[in-house]
Amino acid sequence: GQSDEDHITFALVEQRVMVTHDADFLRYASTESNHYGIVYGHKAAHSIGHIIDSLILIYEVLTLEEMAGRVEYI
């Protein structure tokens, strides 16, 4: 129920990568690179298991520094 700006602010303060199916965050990332990373997956495109496996792979392969300002698609 929070605004997109609230979610972005929280992720910045907490130094968190955002995981979302909301395309609004892709528009944000296209104009702003000041974030710790965004992982985007279309809501109906994958099973929960596939999403979890993809997130684990991203976690194992990329550091927080490497994710900064980056968008990963699953």
Side-chain angles (χ1 to χ4, degrees):
Q2 300 293 323
S3 71
D4 290 350
E5 293 79 21
D6 288 341
H7 287 291
I8 291 166
T9 299
F10 177 81
L12 285 170
V13 168
E14 296 293 321
Q15 298 182 347
R16 304 289 178 128
V17 173
M18 295 184 63
V19 178
T20 186
H21 64 264
D22 185 343
D24 290 343
F25 293 105
L26 296 178
R27 286 186 279 281
Y28 169 81
S30 72
T31 61
E32 181 64 54
S33 63
N34 182 28
H35 56 82
Y36 286 94
I38 297 172
V39 178
Y40 175 81
H42 190 271
K43 190 175 185 177
H46 303 289
S47 69
I48 293 295
H50 177 82
I51 293 169
I52 291 169
D53 288 343
S54 298
L55 292 172
I56 291 169
L57 178 63
I58 291 168
Y59 174 78
E60 291 176 342
V61 172
L62 298 171
T63 66
L64 184 60
E65 293 79 19
E66 291 170 325
M67 274 301 298
R70 180 181 188 138
V71 176
E72 287 290 321
Y73 295 86
I74 56 173

